[in-house]
Amino acid sequence: MRCPYCQHTDTKVTDSRTTDEGNSIRRRRECISCGRRFTTYEVVEEVPLMVAKKNGRRELFDRGKLLNGLLRSCDKRTVPMSIMEQVVNDVEREIRNEVSQEVTTDRIGELVLQQLKDIDQVAYVRFASVYRKFDNIDSFMEELKSLKKLDNKRKKEKSESKEVKED
Ligand SMILES: [Zn+2]
């Protein structure tokens, strides 16, 4: 790092801290040659993540949009905002960990649905109806049936584990 005063290239870091938003690091540096101090910022460069939509168009991944979709699905439900934000965080982490820098809306939808299934079933069905665009009542009923099956299985597992505990 070159000193802005004397152009000397050797500096030492005297203080280093993360900014409030947590996405950059602020460093206080001192020039070895002239002793003057200056500040530098290091910012993590985010790799743009593209979303391929059903209509063939591409757009930048937008957390806000995803959160809005969740908010709509969870309307009048008792899902806390913090949980919805957690879902968005988890989904974003998951897709950013994938090798490809492009993700389909289907993939995002499936990741959200995997989580919503355990959080709120009404929100799940609402979200699924937007993402999967059920063509007809049959495909919609199929989804409900599989959800019901899963629900029964969970209830059964729950009551079984209860019985075990009570023994
Ligand atoms: Zn200097």
Side-chain angles (χ1 to χ4, degrees):
M1 191 64 63
R2 196 181 283 270
C3 168
Y5 305 103
C6 73
Q7 311 302 314
H8 191 74
T9 47
D10 261 352
T11 59
K12 71 173 184 205
V13 175
T14 58
D15 186 31
S16 186
R17 64 185 64 179
T18 310
T19 57
D20 294 340
E21 302 82 28
N23 51 13
S24 66
I25 296 171
R26 179 181 178 274
R27 291 210 160 97
R28 281 299 281 169
R29 291 173 187 270
E30 191 181 307
C31 176
I32 302 286
S33 173
C34 72
R36 277 187 268 201
R37 292 183 173 194
F38 58 99
T39 306
T40 57
Y41 290 92
E42 249 170 58
V43 183
V44 176
E45 193 178 13
E46 280 210 346
V47 180
L49 181 67
M50 299 306 288
V51 179
K53 308 212 300 179
K54 284 196 177 93
N55 61 15
R57 293 243 292 271
R58 286 179 171 74
E59 61 181 35
L60 270 175
F61 172 73
D62 183 347
R63 300 174 43 93
K65 243 184 197 173
L66 190 52
L67 189 60
N68 268 334
L70 272 171
L71 278 168
R72 272 198 302 272
S73 303
C74 295
D75 186 36
K76 301 203 170 68
R77 304 296 297 167
T78 53
V79 182
M81 190 66 186
S82 59
I83 297 283
M84 287 186 255
E85 276 170 349
Q86 191 56 50
V87 171
V88 174
N89 287 344
D90 288 349
V91 168
E92 184 175 7
R93 191 181 329 112
E94 180 93 23
I95 54 181
R96 283 198 187 275
N97 279 341
E98 285 171 8
V99 183
S100 170
Q101 277 173 29
E102 188 174 291
V103 63
T104 60
T105 47
D106 283 348
R107 174 83 184 121
I108 295 176
E110 290 310 317
L111 286 170
V112 172
L113 287 174
Q114 271 173 27
Q115 299 216 26
L116 271 185
K117 223 170 212 173
D118 296 321
I119 295 169
D120 188 291
Q121 293 189 336
V122 171
Y124 172 89
V125 172
R126 285 180 186 158
F127 199 87
S129 74
V130 174
Y131 258 85
R132 294 210 177 130
K133 295 216 172 38
F134 301 117
D135 319 320
N136 51 51
I137 192 84
D138 286 341
S139 57
F140 188 67
M141 288 308 288
E142 277 306 309
E143 186 67 48
L144 289 183
K145 259 190 242 164
S146 76
L147 198 60
K148 185 77 198 148
K149 225 190 256 170
L150 182 85
D151 195 37
N152 289 341
K153 204 175 128 217
R154 289 242 171 86
K155 276 184 189 142
K156 211 174 143 222
E157 280 168 2
K158 234 184 227 169
S159 69
E160 275 169 4
S161 68
K162 220 186 207 171
E163 278 162 27
V164 173
K165 269 179 208 153
E166 281 163 3
D167 279 345

